[in-house]
Amino acid sequence: FPSHDSFPPYINFQTEHEYGVQYCGAKWNGFGYEYMGAKDLLQIPGKHYDYDKKVSRVVTPTEGWRNFFTQVLTGDTSDNIPGLPRVGPMLSKKILAGAESPKEMYNIVCYVYDEYGLSHRLSEVCALLYLLRDFGDSWECQEEWFHGV
C-alpha cells in the first residue's frame, strides 16, 4: 500500500469514480482496484477485489485486453455503447478464443467489425470503452501502437 506522501497533491477527476480508482491502481502497481462488480475495470491489469462477493483476483495484461475487446464486441448497454448485433459474451469468447496477444485480438475485432459492415464505428466504440491508464493516455495512443505507427 503506498504511503500518503506518494499520492499526488491534486488530482481532478471529472469522470466516473471508476477512472479515479483505476488511475491510482495503475500508478501504484499492486495497490489494487475497487471492483464491486464493474466489469469495465477488468480491462485494467492488477489486483481486483469484489466487495460484494468478497473475492479477489489478479487480471493479467493479456486478460485485461481480452476483457476490453470482449466489451468492444458486445457493447455496454449500461453506458449506451453499442456492440455488434447478436454478439454476446459467449460468442465474443469464441471469436477471441484463438488470439494470444492484444494485437491478435485487435486484428480479429477489426475483421469481425468489417464483416458486419461496421468498421466505421470501431474506433469510436473503442474510445468510449477504453479506460485511461494515465493522464495523456487515450484510445488513439493505443490504436497507433496496434497499427505500428
Side-chain angles (χ1 to χ4, degrees):
F1 189 79
S3 71
H4 177 71
D5 294 334
S6 65
F7 284 92
Y10 175 73
I11 300 175
N12 181 13
F13 295 110
Q14 297 177 345
T15 57
E16 295 182 50
H17 74 282
E18 293 172 354
Y19 296 128
V21 172
Q22 60 88 23
Y23 171 78
C24 291
K27 293 306 276 183
W28 298 286
N29 193 12
F31 171 71
Y33 301 99
E34 183 178 349
Y35 168 47
M36 298 192 310
K39 68 181 181 306
D40 303 343
L41 289 177
L42 293 177
Q43 66 178 266
I44 307 291
K47 297 176 184 176
H48 294 258
Y49 185 75
D50 186 330
Y51 288 95
D52 295 332
K53 297 177 183 174
K54 302 202 180 347
V55 175
S56 64
R57 64 184 284 196
V58 174
V59 174
T60 66
T62 300
E63 184 182 5
W65 279 112
R66 187 174 306 281
N67 292 331
F68 168 73
F69 286 119
T70 295
Q71 272 196 292
V72 171
L73 292 168
T74 63
D76 189 336
T77 56
S78 65
D79 288 329
N80 201 27
I81 300 170
L84 294 174
R86 297 175 303 280
V87 175
M90 297 301 288
L91 183 53
S92 66
K93 186 175 183 176
K94 289 179 184 177
I95 290 170
L96 296 171
E100 295 188 20
S101 73
K103 194 157 189 156
E104 287 177 296
M105 292 177 219
Y106 176 74
N107 289 335
I108 289 169
V109 169
C110 287
Y111 174 79
V112 173
Y113 261 77
D114 190 50
E115 287 294 304
Y116 273 79
L118 296 172
S119 56
H120 61 282
R121 283 188 10 204
L122 177 60
S123 188
E124 179 183 11
V125 170
C126 289
L128 291 169
L129 291 170
Y130 179 76
L131 293 182
L132 307 178
R133 273 58 167 180
D134 201 349
F135 292 109
D137 189 16
S138 68
W139 166 251
E140 290 76 19
C141 294
Q142 301 304 316
E143 193 171 35
E144 287 176 8
W145 179 82
F146 283 117
H147 287 295
V149 174

